[in-house]
Coordinates of all heavy atoms in Angstrom, one line a residue:
M1 N 17.7 -22.3 -39.8 CA 17.2 -21.9 -38.5 C 17.4 -20.4 -38.3 O 18.4 -19.9 -38.8 CB 18.0 -22.7 -37.4 CG 17.6 -22.2 -36.0 SD 18.6 -23.1 -34.7 CE 17.7 -24.6 -34.7
A2 N 16.5 -19.8 -37.6 CA 16.6 -18.4 -37.4 C 17.7 -18.0 -36.4 O 18.0 -18.8 -35.5 CB 15.3 -17.8 -36.8
V3 N 18.3 -16.8 -36.6 CA 19.3 -16.4 -35.6 C 18.7 -15.3 -34.8 O 18.0 -14.4 -35.3 CB 20.5 -15.8 -36.4 CG1 21.5 -15.2 -35.5 CG2 21.1 -16.9 -37.3
L4 N 18.9 -15.4 -33.5 CA 18.4 -14.3 -32.6 C 19.6 -13.5 -32.0 O 20.4 -14.1 -31.4 CB 17.6 -15.0 -31.4 CG 17.1 -14.1 -30.4 CD1 15.9 -13.2 -31.0 CD2 16.5 -14.8 -29.2
H5 N 19.6 -12.3 -32.4 CA 20.7 -11.4 -31.9 C 20.2 -10.8 -30.6 O 19.1 -10.4 -30.5 CB 20.9 -10.3 -32.9 CG 21.5 -10.8 -34.2 ND1 22.8 -11.2 -34.4 CD2 20.9 -11.0 -35.4 CE1 23.0 -11.6 -35.6 NE2 21.8 -11.5 -36.3
T6 N 21.2 -10.7 -29.7 CA 20.8 -10.1 -28.4 C 21.6 -8.8 -28.1 O 22.1 -8.6 -27.0 CB 21.1 -11.1 -27.2 OG1 22.5 -11.5 -27.3 CG2 20.2 -12.3 -27.3
R7 N 21.7 -8.0 -29.1 CA 22.3 -6.7 -28.9 C 21.4 -5.7 -28.2 O 20.2 -5.9 -28.2 CB 22.6 -6.1 -30.3 CG 23.7 -6.8 -31.1 CD 24.0 -6.0 -32.3 NE 24.4 -7.0 -33.3 CZ 23.9 -7.1 -34.5 NH1 23.0 -6.3 -34.9 NH2 24.3 -8.1 -35.3
N8 N 22.1 -4.8 -27.4 CA 21.3 -3.8 -26.7 C 20.4 -4.4 -25.6 O 19.4 -3.9 -25.3 CB 20.5 -2.9 -27.6 CG 21.4 -2.1 -28.5 OD1 22.5 -1.8 -28.2 ND2 20.9 -1.9 -29.7
V9 N 20.8 -5.6 -25.1 CA 20.1 -6.2 -24.0 C 21.1 -6.2 -22.8 O 22.3 -6.5 -22.9 CB 19.7 -7.7 -24.3 CG1 19.1 -8.4 -23.2 CG2 18.8 -7.7 -25.6
A10 N 20.6 -5.9 -21.6 CA 21.4 -5.9 -20.4 C 22.1 -7.2 -20.2 O 21.6 -8.2 -20.6 CB 20.5 -5.5 -19.2
D11 N 23.2 -7.1 -19.6 CA 24.1 -8.3 -19.4 C 23.4 -9.5 -18.7 O 23.4 -10.6 -19.1 CB 25.4 -8.0 -18.7 CG 26.3 -7.2 -19.6 OD1 26.2 -7.2 -20.9 OD2 27.2 -6.5 -19.1
A12 N 22.7 -9.1 -17.6 CA 22.1 -10.2 -16.7 C 21.0 -10.9 -17.5 O 21.0 -12.2 -17.5 CB 21.6 -9.6 -15.4
P13 N 20.0 -10.2 -18.1 CA 19.0 -11.0 -18.9 C 19.6 -11.8 -20.0 O 19.2 -12.9 -20.3 CB 18.0 -9.9 -19.4 CG 18.3 -8.7 -18.5 CD 19.7 -8.8 -18.1
R14 N 20.6 -11.2 -20.7 CA 21.2 -11.9 -21.9 C 21.8 -13.2 -21.4 O 21.7 -14.2 -22.0 CB 22.1 -11.0 -22.6 CG 22.8 -11.7 -23.8 CD 23.6 -10.8 -24.6 NE 24.4 -9.9 -23.9 CZ 25.2 -9.0 -24.4 NH1 25.2 -8.8 -25.7 NH2 25.9 -8.2 -23.6
A15 N 22.6 -13.1 -20.3 CA 23.3 -14.2 -19.8 C 22.3 -15.3 -19.4 O 22.5 -16.5 -19.6 CB 24.2 -13.8 -18.6
R16 N 21.2 -14.9 -18.7 CA 20.2 -15.9 -18.3 C 19.5 -16.5 -19.5 O 19.3 -17.7 -19.5 CB 19.1 -15.2 -17.5 CG 18.1 -16.1 -16.9 CD 18.6 -17.1 -15.9 NE 17.6 -18.0 -15.5 CZ 17.7 -19.3 -15.3 NH1 18.8 -19.9 -15.6 NH2 16.7 -20.0 -14.9
V17 N 19.2 -15.8 -20.6 CA 18.6 -16.4 -21.8 C 19.6 -17.4 -22.4 O 19.2 -18.5 -22.7 CB 18.3 -15.2 -22.8 CG1 18.0 -15.8 -24.2 CG2 17.1 -14.4 -22.3
H18 N 20.9 -17.1 -22.5 CA 21.8 -18.0 -23.0 C 22.0 -19.2 -22.1 O 22.1 -20.4 -22.6 CB 23.2 -17.3 -23.3 CG 23.1 -16.4 -24.5 ND1 23.1 -16.9 -25.8 CD2 23.1 -15.1 -24.6 CE1 23.0 -15.9 -26.6 NE2 23.0 -14.7 -25.9
E19 N 21.9 -19.0 -20.8 CA 22.0 -20.1 -19.9 C 20.8 -21.1 -20.1 O 21.0 -22.3 -20.1 CB 22.0 -19.6 -18.5 CG 22.1 -20.6 -17.4 CD 22.1 -19.9 -16.0 OE1 22.8 -19.0 -15.8 OE2 21.3 -20.4 -15.2
L20 N 19.6 -20.5 -20.2 CA 18.4 -21.3 -20.4 C 18.5 -22.1 -21.7 O 18.1 -23.2 -21.8 CB 17.2 -20.5 -20.4 CG 16.8 -19.9 -19.0 CD1 15.7 -18.9 -19.2 CD2 16.4 -21.0 -18.1
A21 N 19.1 -21.4 -22.7 CA 19.2 -22.1 -24.0 C 20.2 -23.3 -24.0 O 19.9 -24.3 -24.6 CB 19.8 -21.1 -25.1
R22 N 21.2 -23.2 -23.2 CA 22.1 -24.3 -23.0 C 21.5 -25.5 -22.2 O 21.7 -26.6 -22.5 CB 23.4 -23.9 -22.3 CG 24.3 -23.2 -23.2 CD 25.7 -23.0 -22.6 NE 25.6 -22.2 -21.4 CZ 25.6 -20.8 -21.3 NH1 25.7 -20.1 -22.4 NH2 25.6 -20.2 -20.1
E23 N 20.6 -25.1 -21.2 CA 20.0 -26.1 -20.4 C 18.9 -26.9 -21.0 O 18.6 -28.0 -20.8 CB 19.4 -25.4 -19.1 CG 20.5 -24.9 -18.2 CD 19.8 -24.1 -17.0 OE1 18.6 -24.0 -17.0 OE2 20.6 -23.6 -16.2
D24 N 18.1 -26.2 -21.9 CA 16.9 -26.7 -22.4 C 17.1 -27.1 -23.9 O 17.7 -26.3 -24.7 CB 15.8 -25.6 -22.3 CG 14.4 -26.2 -22.4 OD1 14.3 -27.5 -22.4 OD2 13.4 -25.5 -22.4
P25 N 16.7 -28.3 -24.3 CA 17.0 -28.7 -25.7 C 16.4 -27.8 -26.8 O 17.0 -27.7 -27.8 CB 16.4 -30.1 -25.8 CG 16.2 -30.5 -24.3 CD 16.1 -29.3 -23.5
P26 N 15.1 -27.3 -26.6 CA 14.6 -26.5 -27.8 C 15.5 -25.3 -28.1 O 16.1 -24.7 -27.2 CB 13.2 -26.0 -27.3 CG 12.9 -26.9 -26.1 CD 14.2 -27.3 -25.5
P27 N 15.6 -25.0 -29.4 CA 16.5 -23.9 -29.7 C 15.9 -22.6 -29.2 O 14.7 -22.4 -28.9 CB 16.4 -23.9 -31.3 CG 15.2 -24.7 -31.6 CD 15.0 -25.6 -30.5
L28 N 16.8 -21.7 -28.9 CA 16.5 -20.4 -28.3 C 15.4 -19.6 -29.0 O 14.4 -19.2 -28.3 CB 17.7 -19.5 -28.2 CG 17.5 -18.2 -27.5 CD1 17.1 -18.4 -26.1 CD2 18.8 -17.4 -27.5
P29 N 15.4 -19.5 -30.3 CA 14.3 -18.8 -31.0 C 12.9 -19.4 -30.7 O 11.9 -18.7 -30.5 CB 14.6 -18.8 -32.4 CG 16.1 -18.9 -32.5 CD 16.4 -19.8 -31.3
A30 N 12.9 -20.7 -30.5 CA 11.6 -21.4 -30.2 C 11.1 -21.0 -28.9 O 9.9 -21.1 -28.6 CB 11.8 -22.9 -30.3
E31 N 12.0 -20.7 -28.0 CA 11.6 -20.2 -26.6 C 11.2 -18.7 -26.6 O 10.2 -18.3 -25.9 CB 12.8 -20.4 -25.6 CG 13.2 -21.8 -25.4 CD 12.2 -22.6 -24.5 OE1 11.6 -21.9 -23.7 OE2 12.2 -23.8 -24.7
V32 N 11.9 -17.9 -27.4 CA 11.7 -16.5 -27.3 C 10.5 -16.0 -28.2 O 9.8 -15.1 -27.8 CB 13.0 -15.8 -27.7 CG1 12.8 -14.3 -27.8 CG2 14.1 -16.1 -26.7
I33 N 10.3 -16.6 -29.3 CA 9.3 -16.1 -30.2 C 7.9 -16.1 -29.6 O 7.2 -15.1 -29.7 CB 9.3 -16.9 -31.5 CG1 10.6 -16.5 -32.3 CG2 8.1 -16.7 -32.4 CD1 10.9 -17.3 -33.5
P34 N 7.5 -17.1 -28.9 CA 6.2 -17.0 -28.2 C 6.1 -15.9 -27.2 O 5.1 -15.3 -27.0 CB 6.0 -18.4 -27.5 CG 6.9 -19.3 -28.2 CD 8.0 -18.5 -28.7
L35 N 7.2 -15.7 -26.5 CA 7.2 -14.5 -25.5 C 7.1 -13.2 -26.2 O 6.3 -12.3 -25.8 CB 8.5 -14.6 -24.7 CG 8.7 -15.8 -23.8 CD1 10.1 -15.8 -23.2 CD2 7.6 -15.8 -22.7
L36 N 7.8 -13.1 -27.3 CA 7.6 -11.8 -28.1 C 6.2 -11.7 -28.7 O 5.7 -10.6 -28.7 CB 8.7 -11.8 -29.3 CG 10.1 -11.7 -28.9 CD1 11.0 -11.9 -30.1 CD2 10.4 -10.4 -28.2
A37 N 5.6 -12.8 -29.1 CA 4.3 -12.7 -29.7 C 3.3 -12.3 -28.6 O 2.4 -11.4 -28.9 CB 3.9 -14.1 -30.2
M38 N 3.4 -12.8 -27.4 CA 2.5 -12.4 -26.3 C 2.7 -10.9 -25.9 O 1.7 -10.2 -25.7 CB 2.8 -13.2 -25.0 CG 2.3 -14.6 -25.1 SD 2.4 -15.6 -23.6 CE 4.1 -15.4 -23.1
D39 N 4.0 -10.4 -25.9 CA 4.2 -9.0 -25.7 C 3.6 -8.1 -26.7 O 3.0 -7.1 -26.4 CB 5.7 -8.7 -25.5 CG 6.0 -7.3 -25.2 OD1 5.6 -6.9 -24.1 OD2 6.6 -6.6 -26.0
I40 N 3.8 -8.5 -28.0 CA 3.2 -7.7 -29.1 C 1.7 -7.7 -29.0 O 1.1 -6.6 -29.2 CB 3.7 -8.3 -30.4 CG1 5.2 -8.0 -30.6 CG2 2.9 -7.8 -31.6 CD1 5.8 -8.8 -31.8
Q41 N 1.1 -8.8 -28.7 CA -0.4 -8.9 -28.5 C -0.8 -8.0 -27.4 O -1.8 -7.2 -27.5 CB -0.9 -10.3 -28.3 CG -2.4 -10.4 -28.2 CD -2.8 -11.8 -28.0 OE1 -2.0 -12.7 -27.8 NE2 -4.1 -12.1 -28.1
A42 N -0.1 -8.0 -26.2 CA -0.5 -7.2 -25.1 C -0.4 -5.7 -25.4 O -1.2 -4.9 -25.1 CB 0.4 -7.6 -23.9
R43 N 0.7 -5.4 -26.1 CA 0.9 -3.9 -26.5 C -0.2 -3.5 -27.4 O -0.7 -2.4 -27.4 CB 2.3 -3.7 -27.1 CG 3.4 -3.8 -26.1 CD 4.7 -3.6 -26.8 NE 5.8 -3.9 -25.8 CZ 6.9 -3.2 -25.8 NH1 7.1 -2.2 -26.6 NH2 7.8 -3.5 -24.9
G44 N -0.6 -4.4 -28.4 CA -1.6 -4.0 -29.3 C -3.0 -3.8 -28.7 O -3.7 -2.9 -29.0
S45 N -3.3 -4.7 -27.7 CA -4.5 -4.5 -26.9 C -4.5 -3.2 -26.2 O -5.5 -2.5 -26.1 CB -4.7 -5.7 -25.9 OG -4.8 -6.9 -26.6
R46 N -3.4 -2.9 -25.5 CA -3.3 -1.7 -24.8 C -3.5 -0.5 -25.7 O -4.2 0.5 -25.4 CB -2.0 -1.6 -24.0 CG -1.8 -0.5 -23.1 CD -0.6 -0.6 -22.2 NE 0.6 -0.9 -22.9 CZ 1.3 -2.1 -22.8 NH1 0.9 -3.0 -22.0 NH2 2.4 -2.3 -23.5
L47 N -2.8 -0.5 -26.8 CA -2.9 0.6 -27.8 C -4.3 0.7 -28.3 O -4.8 1.8 -28.6 CB -1.9 0.5 -28.9 CG -0.4 0.6 -28.5 CD1 0.5 0.3 -29.7 CD2 -0.2 2.0 -28.0
G48 N -5.0 -0.4 -28.5 CA -6.3 -0.4 -29.0 C -7.3 0.2 -28.0 O -8.2 1.0 -28.4
R49 N -7.1 -0.1 -26.7 CA -7.9 0.6 -25.7 C -7.7 2.1 -25.6 O -8.6 2.8 -25.5 CB -7.7 -0.1 -24.4 CG -8.2 -1.5 -24.2 CD -8.2 -2.0 -22.8 NE -6.8 -2.0 -22.3 CZ -6.0 -3.1 -22.4 NH1 -6.4 -4.2 -23.0 NH2 -4.8 -3.0 -21.8
V50 N -6.5 2.5 -25.7 CA -6.1 3.9 -25.7 C -6.8 4.6 -26.9 O -7.4 5.7 -26.7 CB -4.6 4.1 -25.7 CG1 -4.2 5.6 -25.9 CG2 -4.0 3.6 -24.3
A51 N -6.7 4.0 -28.0 CA -7.3 4.6 -29.2 C -8.8 4.7 -29.1 O -9.4 5.7 -29.5 CB -6.9 3.8 -30.5
T52 N -9.4 3.7 -28.5 CA -10.9 3.7 -28.4 C -11.3 4.8 -27.4 O -12.3 5.5 -27.7 CB -11.4 2.3 -27.8 OG1 -11.0 1.3 -28.8 CG2 -12.9 2.3 -27.6
V53 N -10.6 5.0 -26.3 CA -11.0 6.0 -25.3 C -10.8 7.4 -26.0 O -11.6 8.3 -25.8 CB -10.1 5.9 -24.1 CG1 -10.2 7.1 -23.2 CG2 -10.5 4.6 -23.3
A54 N -9.7 7.6 -26.8 CA -9.4 8.8 -27.4 C -10.5 9.1 -28.4 O -11.0 10.3 -28.6 CB -8.1 8.8 -28.1
R55 N -11.0 8.1 -29.2 CA -12.1 8.3 -30.1 C -13.4 8.7 -29.4 O -14.1 9.6 -29.9 CB -12.3 7.0 -31.0 CG -13.4 7.1 -32.0 CD -13.5 5.9 -32.8 NE -13.7 4.7 -32.0 CZ -14.9 4.3 -31.4 NH1 -15.9 5.1 -31.6 NH2 -14.9 3.2 -30.8
I56 N -13.7 8.1 -28.3 CA -14.9 8.4 -27.6 C -14.8 9.9 -27.1 O -15.8 10.6 -27.3 CB -15.1 7.4 -26.4 CG1 -15.4 6.1 -26.9 CG2 -16.1 8.0 -25.4 CD1 -15.4 5.0 -25.8
H57 N -13.7 10.3 -26.6 CA -13.5 11.7 -26.2 C -13.7 12.6 -27.3 O -14.2 13.7 -27.2 CB -12.2 11.9 -25.5 CG -12.2 11.4 -24.1 ND1 -12.9 11.9 -23.0 CD2 -11.5 10.3 -23.5 CE1 -12.7 11.2 -21.9 NE2 -11.8 10.2 -22.2
R58 N -13.2 12.2 -28.5 CA -13.3 13.1 -29.7 C -14.7 13.2 -30.2 O -15.2 14.3 -30.5 CB -12.4 12.5 -30.8 CG -11.2 13.3 -31.2 CD -10.5 12.8 -32.4 NE -10.9 11.5 -32.9 CZ -10.3 10.4 -32.7 NH1 -9.3 10.3 -31.8 NH2 -10.6 9.2 -33.2
E59 N -15.4 12.1 -30.2 CA -16.7 12.0 -30.9 C -17.9 12.3 -29.9 O -18.9 12.7 -30.4 CB -16.9 10.7 -31.5 CG -15.9 10.4 -32.6 CD -16.0 9.0 -33.2 OE1 -16.9 8.2 -32.7 OE2 -15.2 8.7 -34.1
A60 N -17.7 12.1 -28.7 CA -18.8 12.4 -27.7 C -19.1 13.9 -27.6 O -18.2 14.6 -27.3 CB -18.5 11.7 -26.4
P61 N -20.3 14.3 -27.7 CA -20.6 15.7 -27.5 C -20.5 16.0 -26.0 O -20.6 15.2 -25.1 CB -22.1 15.8 -27.9 CG -22.6 14.4 -27.7 CD -21.5 13.5 -28.0
E62 N -20.2 17.3 -25.7 CA -20.1 17.7 -24.3 C -21.5 17.6 -23.7 O -22.5 18.0 -24.3 CB -19.7 19.2 -24.3 CG -19.5 19.7 -22.9 CD -18.3 19.1 -22.2 OE1 -17.3 18.7 -22.9 OE2 -18.3 19.1 -21.0
I63 N -21.6 16.9 -22.6 CA -22.9 16.7 -22.0 C -23.2 17.8 -21.0 O -22.4 18.1 -20.1 CB -22.9 15.3 -21.3 CG1 -22.6 14.2 -22.3 CG2 -24.2 15.1 -20.5 CD1 -22.5 12.9 -21.6
T64 N -24.3 18.4 -21.2 CA -24.7 19.5 -20.3 C -26.1 19.0 -19.7 O -27.0 18.7 -20.5 CB -24.9 20.8 -21.0 OG1 -25.7 20.7 -22.1 CG2 -23.5 21.4 -21.4
P65 N -26.2 19.0 -18.4 CA -27.5 18.6 -17.8 C -28.6 19.6 -18.1 O -28.3 20.8 -18.3 CB -27.2 18.5 -16.3 CG -26.0 19.4 -16.1 CD -25.2 19.4 -17.4
P66 N -29.8 19.1 -18.2 CA -30.9 20.0 -18.5 C -31.3 20.9 -17.3 O -31.0 20.5 -16.1 CB -32.1 19.0 -18.8 CG -31.7 17.8 -18.1 CD -30.2 17.7 -18.1
G67 N -31.7 22.0 -17.5 CA -32.1 22.9 -16.4 C -30.9 23.6 -15.7 O -29.8 23.5 -16.2
K68 N -31.2 24.2 -14.6 CA -30.2 24.9 -13.9 C -29.6 23.9 -12.8 O -30.3 23.5 -11.9 CB -30.7 26.1 -13.2 CG -29.7 26.9 -12.5 CD -30.2 28.2 -12.0 CE -29.1 28.9 -11.2 NZ -29.5 30.2 -10.7
W69 N -28.3 23.7 -12.9 CA -27.6 22.8 -12.0 C -26.5 23.5 -11.3 O -25.8 24.3 -11.9 CB -27.1 21.6 -12.7 CG -28.1 20.7 -13.2 CD1 -28.9 20.9 -14.3 CD2 -28.5 19.4 -12.7 NE1 -29.8 19.8 -14.4 CE2 -29.5 18.9 -13.4 CE3 -28.1 18.7 -11.6 CZ2 -30.1 17.7 -13.2 CZ3 -28.7 17.4 -11.3 CH2 -29.7 17.0 -12.1
T70 N -26.4 23.3 -10.0 CA -25.3 23.9 -9.2 C -24.1 23.0 -9.3 O -24.2 21.7 -9.2 CB -25.8 24.1 -7.8 OG1 -27.0 24.8 -7.8 CG2 -24.7 24.9 -7.0
D71 N -22.9 23.6 -9.3 CA -21.7 22.8 -9.3 C -21.6 22.0 -8.0 O -21.9 22.6 -6.9 CB -20.5 23.8 -9.5 CG -19.2 23.0 -9.5 OD1 -19.1 21.9 -10.0 OD2 -18.2 23.6 -8.9
S72 N -21.2 20.8 -8.0 CA -21.1 20.0 -6.8 C -20.2 20.5 -5.8 O -20.4 20.4 -4.6 CB -20.8 18.5 -7.2 OG -19.5 18.5 -7.8
A73 N -19.1 21.2 -6.3 CA -18.1 21.8 -5.3 C -18.8 22.9 -4.5 O -18.5 23.0 -3.3 CB -16.9 22.3 -6.1
T74 N -19.7 23.6 -5.1 CA -20.4 24.6 -4.4 C -21.3 24.0 -3.4 O -21.3 24.5 -2.2 CB -21.2 25.5 -5.4 OG1 -20.4 26.0 -6.4 CG2 -22.0 26.6 -4.7
L75 N -22.0 23.0 -3.7 CA -22.8 22.3 -2.7 C -22.1 21.8 -1.5 O -22.5 21.9 -0.4 CB -23.6 21.2 -3.4 CG -24.6 21.6 -4.5 CD1 -25.2 20.4 -5.2 CD2 -25.7 22.5 -3.9
V76 N -20.9 21.2 -1.8 CA -20.1 20.6 -0.7 C -19.6 21.7 0.2 O -19.6 21.6 1.4 CB -18.9 19.8 -1.3 CG1 -17.9 19.4 -0.2 CG2 -19.4 18.6 -2.0
R77 N -19.2 22.8 -0.4 CA -18.7 24.0 0.3 C -19.8 24.5 1.2 O -19.6 24.8 2.4 CB -18.2 25.1 -0.6 CG -17.4 26.2 0.0 CD -16.8 27.2 -0.9 NE -16.0 26.5 -2.0 CZ -16.3 26.4 -3.3 NH1 -17.4 26.9 -3.7 NH2 -15.5 25.8 -4.1
E78 N -21.0 24.6 0.7 CA -22.1 25.1 1.5 C -22.4 24.2 2.7 O -22.7 24.6 3.8 CB -23.4 25.2 0.6 CG -23.3 26.4 -0.3 CD -24.5 26.4 -1.3 OE1 -25.4 25.5 -1.2 OE2 -24.6 27.3 -2.2
D79 N -22.3 22.9 2.4 CA -22.5 21.9 3.5 C -21.5 22.1 4.6 O -21.8 22.0 5.8 CB -22.5 20.5 3.0 CG -23.8 20.1 2.4 OD1 -24.8 20.8 2.6 OD2 -23.9 19.1 1.7
R80 N -20.2 22.3 4.2 CA -19.2 22.4 5.2 C -19.3 23.7 6.0 O -18.8 23.7 7.2 CB -17.8 22.4 4.5 CG -17.5 21.0 4.0 CD -16.1 21.1 3.3 NE -15.8 19.7 2.8 CZ -14.9 19.5 1.9 NH1 -14.1 20.5 1.4 NH2 -14.7 18.3 1.5
E81 N -19.9 24.7 5.4 CA -20.0 26.0 6.1 C -21.1 26.0 7.1 O -21.3 26.9 7.9 CB -20.2 27.1 5.1 CG -18.9 27.4 4.3 CD -19.1 28.4 3.2 OE1 -20.3 28.8 3.0 OE2 -18.1 28.7 2.5
R82 N -22.0 25.0 7.1 CA -23.1 25.0 8.0 C -22.7 24.6 9.4 O -21.8 24.0 9.8 CB -24.2 23.9 7.6 CG -24.9 24.4 6.4 CD -26.1 23.5 6.2 NE -26.2 23.3 4.7 CZ -27.1 22.5 4.2 NH1 -27.9 21.7 4.9 NH2 -27.2 22.3 2.9

């Protein structure tokens, strides 16, 4: 059976995990491993999205509108001054 070390874990969560392990018949690693797997998957998805956005910013050319365009801040300022 696998051994789960709880070093560098705050006292309250560690105590609660051990309490749950005593209350519930399944061994502690059987309870914790699926939670760790879900966290790893969530972190991987988040990192994948961040990498995708970074790649898009790197590869996408700077978009410049055709013709002469006025900055929207200038247009808003002109409207406010009327």
Side-chain angles (χ1 to χ4, degrees):
M1 175 181 283
V3 176
L4 180 67
H5 296 281
T6 56
R7 289 185 214 129
N8 298 326
V9 176
D11 290 336
R14 179 175 41 187
R16 182 65 180 136
V17 165
H18 285 287
E19 180 183 313
L20 289 171
R22 283 190 299 275
E23 292 174 2
D24 204 7
L28 183 61
E31 295 285 333
V32 174
I33 289 173
L35 296 173
L36 291 173
M38 286 189 306
D39 183 62
I40 289 168
Q41 181 179 10
R43 288 178 188 219
S45 295
R46 188 170 48 247
L47 291 175
R49 287 191 301 271
V50 169
T52 299
V53 170
R55 182 180 51 79
I56 289 170
H57 283 291
R58 244 188 353 265
E59 295 176 2
E62 184 68 28
I63 298 173
T64 53
K68 183 176 178 179
W69 290 75
T70 306
D71 180 34
S72 60
T74 304
L75 296 174
V76 170
R77 193 174 305 112
E78 288 174 1
D79 279 346
R80 289 181 181 164
E81 291 173 353
R82 285 191 222 177

